[in-house]
Amino acid sequence: MKEINYCPHCKSDNFRKHGFYRNKRRFLCKNCLKTFSKRNESVSYYSKKSDEIWSSYIDLFDEGYSIRLCSKLLKINIKTAFYWRHKILKKIIKENKTDNIGVNIGIKTYWIKENKKGTKIYSPKRKKHLICCTKSFTHNISGKILLDNKFNLHLARNNFKERFPFHVSNSLIGTDVYSRTIATNINKNLKLELTSDLKMKVYTELNNVYLSHKGWLKKFKGIATKYYDLYFSWFSCVFENIYCENFSFNNILKTLII
């Protein structure tokens, strides 16, 4: 659990201790006169479920159990299980901000078909979505939907700059036809000296990310395209921390949530 540095209501740092509630320390803001605790910014705040149920849910979440199975095992409503998963995913995005500032950022693109899992409206025609994945040599990765249906260079370039909130315009290395087109267009005013060894290293690492992510997604038996960015953030957090000693994603989740 993070230390409290300011009031979550008014952002003032002028607060004091204000007793306990259910063995949880509470604080009183002297500026807005509202009370709060360390759990105010956690996803389990306002939840009527116990910490034990949340802890069990995180264990199942970490193992990649389906929402339906989590609901059955913990005896909670399936809508609650769905809502909890997406609260956790949004919390992961907030706490695990990617910072790819530096040199030699590799980018890879690939097409996926639209998945309307969870919707009741059947449509025989499915869109194609162009996914863009980036990776730095510090193992920071990020992936987002870049385009729909057709490749448009102008739109792809603008979307790339908008959806990847870090400055990599002086260091892009494309690994396929579309990513090389985007990288060349953004870096057109720069003279980059890229060796064949560097290109091969970037290609190999990004291909490893792509294959790992593809295999990781299989355990969910399909995810709705509109949630693709959320799930990629979950995957990136796991993938990046594989390189850390004594890493436990489950323990990190519990410090963010409970």
Side-chain angles (χ1 to χ4, degrees), residues 7 9-12 14-16 18 26-36:
C7 170
H9 304 293
C10 67
K11 309 303 180 184
S12 171
N14 188 17
F15 60 89
R16 65 175 176 82
H18 191 64
R26 295 197 63 78
F27 302 90
L28 173 67
C29 177
K30 296 181 180 180
N31 183 48
C32 66
L33 301 180
K34 292 183 179 180
T35 60
F36 58 93

Side-chain angles (χ1 to χ4, degrees), residues 108 175 202-212:
K108 178 180 178 63
T175 60
V202 172
Y203 174 82
T204 302
E205 291 191 354
L206 274 169
N207 196 52
N208 181 38
V209 171
Y210 166 71
L211 293 175
S212 298

Side-chain angles (χ1 to χ4, degrees), residues 45-241:
Y45 186 61
Y46 280 129
S47 173
K48 291 181 173 60
K49 303 298 183 182
S50 66
D51 288 351
E52 289 73 20
I53 293 179
W54 272 98
S55 181
S56 299
Y57 184 84
I58 291 169
D59 292 334
L60 300 179
F61 176 92
D62 190 30
E63 292 295 326
Y65 280 50
S66 69
I67 292 173
R68 189 175 298 277
L69 186 56
C70 289
S71 171
K72 182 179 180 180
L73 293 175
L74 299 178
K75 297 180 180 180
I76 59 177
N77 191 285
I78 191 169
K79 291 183 179 180
T80 300
F82 176 86
Y83 179 61
W84 283 9
R85 172 169 289 188
H86 286 263
K87 284 186 74 175
I88 295 172
L89 291 175
K90 290 175 182 177
K91 185 70 172 178
I92 291 173
I93 290 180
K94 183 178 178 180
E95 298 292 336
N96 189 49
K97 292 181 180 179
T98 304
D99 184 12
N100 275 345
I101 296 175
V103 297
N104 300 331
I105 305 300
I107 61 175
K108 178 180 178 63
T109 58
Y110 51 92
W111 292 96
I112 63 170
K113 286 187 176 181
E114 183 180 31
N115 187 321
K116 293 187 177 181
K117 183 178 180 179
T119 61
K120 297 181 179 180
I121 300 175
Y122 173 73
S123 176
K125 294 183 179 179
R126 294 194 294 170
K127 294 180 181 178
K128 291 194 304 180
H129 299 279
L130 183 66
I131 306 299
C132 184
C133 172
T134 68
K135 184 181 185 301
S136 71
F137 286 167
T138 56
H139 307 302
N140 287 334
I141 65 172
S142 183
K144 295 180 184 295
I145 295 176
L146 201 62
L147 293 173
D148 294 335
N149 286 330
K150 295 181 179 180
F151 183 79
N152 180 294
L153 177 58
H154 177 74
L155 187 59
R157 179 192 61 200
N158 292 339
N159 286 349
F160 182 87
K161 291 181 178 180
E162 177 186 346
R163 298 177 186 180
F164 292 85
F166 36 78
H167 181 69
V168 294
S169 60
N170 63 338
S171 53
L172 296 180
I173 303 174
T175 60
D176 57 86
V177 174
Y178 297 118
S179 63
R180 280 196 295 268
T181 304
I182 296 170
T184 301
N185 185 269
I186 294 177
N187 295 334
K188 60 185 177 182
N189 296 325
L190 301 173
K191 294 182 179 180
L192 300 177
E193 295 182 2
L194 305 177
T195 64
S196 57
D197 291 340
L198 178 60
K199 290 180 180 179
M200 181 56 67
K201 181 179 180 180
V202 172
Y203 174 82
T204 302
E205 291 191 354
L206 274 169
N207 196 52
N208 181 38
V209 171
Y210 166 71
L211 293 175
S212 298
H213 183 240
K214 187 177 180 180
W216 181 80
L217 284 177
K218 286 183 178 179
K219 63 183 179 182
F220 300 106
K221 299 180 180 179
I223 60 171
T225 306
K226 59 183 177 181
Y227 301 128
Y228 188 91
D229 293 356
L230 291 175
Y231 278 80
F232 199 100
S233 295
W234 177 6
F235 168 75
S236 67
C237 186
V238 175
F239 187 88
E240 291 166 17
N241 288 286

